[in-house]
Amino acid sequence: MIMHLKMQLTMVIQESLRLYPPATITAKHALADIKLGELDVPGGTNIWIFAHRLHRDPENWGPDANEFKPERFANGVSKSCKYTQAYVPFGFGPRICIGQNFVMTQMKIILSLILSKFSFSISPNYHHSPVSPMLLLPEHGIRLLVSPV
């Protein structure tokens, strides 16, 4: 059961990070002239990458890209979509978040401890309205109904 819980938590966390990445914008700087698909990018250009758009692209994630479906990560990130480089909740390349494994482990431990003692449901007063001044946040907070298990 523990292995199943660990796998389920991993899938739920990965899907949550896909739909609601904490850092929504990543900036890169082209050091030399490069070609991105059909686009020629001159050296010295600043490139802004919007994780929210990458993570919801139907061409990469399928027609259900806007739906919460943790099972898409059942076989890991590499099998979850067409282009795995487009899954960037912790950044990518040489500047990927050094604490990504620590954070994932921490989230699994904390969530398993919380879920072993409480059950949650969304309040009927909750209004879903994520905003992104720099980090993705719920505009009106998160209203949950919490009850002991």
Side-chain angles (χ1 to χ4, degrees):
M1 295 254 321
I2 296 288
M3 286 307 292
H4 183 68
L5 174 64
K6 181 180 172 188
M7 189 172 89
Q8 291 291 334
L9 275 174
T10 301
M11 292 186 315
V12 167
I13 291 167
Q14 288 173 326
E15 182 69 345
S16 298
L17 290 171
R18 182 185 72 82
L19 289 173
Y20 302 103
T24 56
I25 300 170
T26 302
K28 296 291 178 184
H29 184 78
L31 297 175
D33 293 352
I34 59 170
K35 189 164 183 76
L36 295 174
E38 299 295 317
L39 182 65
D40 290 316
V41 179
T45 302
N46 289 322
I47 303 168
W48 295 87
I49 299 154
F50 296 89
H52 190 264
R53 288 291 299 143
L54 280 177
H55 290 179
R56 290 174 182 254
D57 181 4
E59 183 184 327
N60 189 38
W61 298 96
D64 59 357
N66 288 314
E67 295 176 30
F68 182 77
K69 292 181 71 177
E71 61 272 12
R72 78 175 78 238
F73 288 97
N75 297 311
V77 174
S78 63
K79 304 277 193 246
S80 64
C81 59
K82 193 191 268 186
Y83 308 107
T84 57
Q85 307 88 328
Y87 180 67
V88 294
F90 295 102
F92 61 93
R95 294 188 179 257
I96 195 164
C97 176
I98 194 168
Q100 118 179 9
N101 291 331
F102 177 68
V103 168
M104 287 296 289
T105 302
Q106 215 174 18
M107 281 193 284
K108 290 175 202 174
I109 291 169
I110 291 168
L111 281 172
S112 62
L113 290 171
I114 291 171
L115 292 172
S116 70
K117 299 191 184 316
F118 301 99
S119 70
F120 298 87
S121 58
I122 296 174
S123 167
N125 300 328
Y126 174 70
H127 175 68
H128 187 68
S129 179
V131 294
S132 179
M134 180 60 174
L135 299 176
L136 190 62
L137 304 166
E139 182 178 21
H140 307 291
I142 298 176
R143 300 176 191 271
L144 296 175
L145 302 174
V146 181
S147 56
V149 174

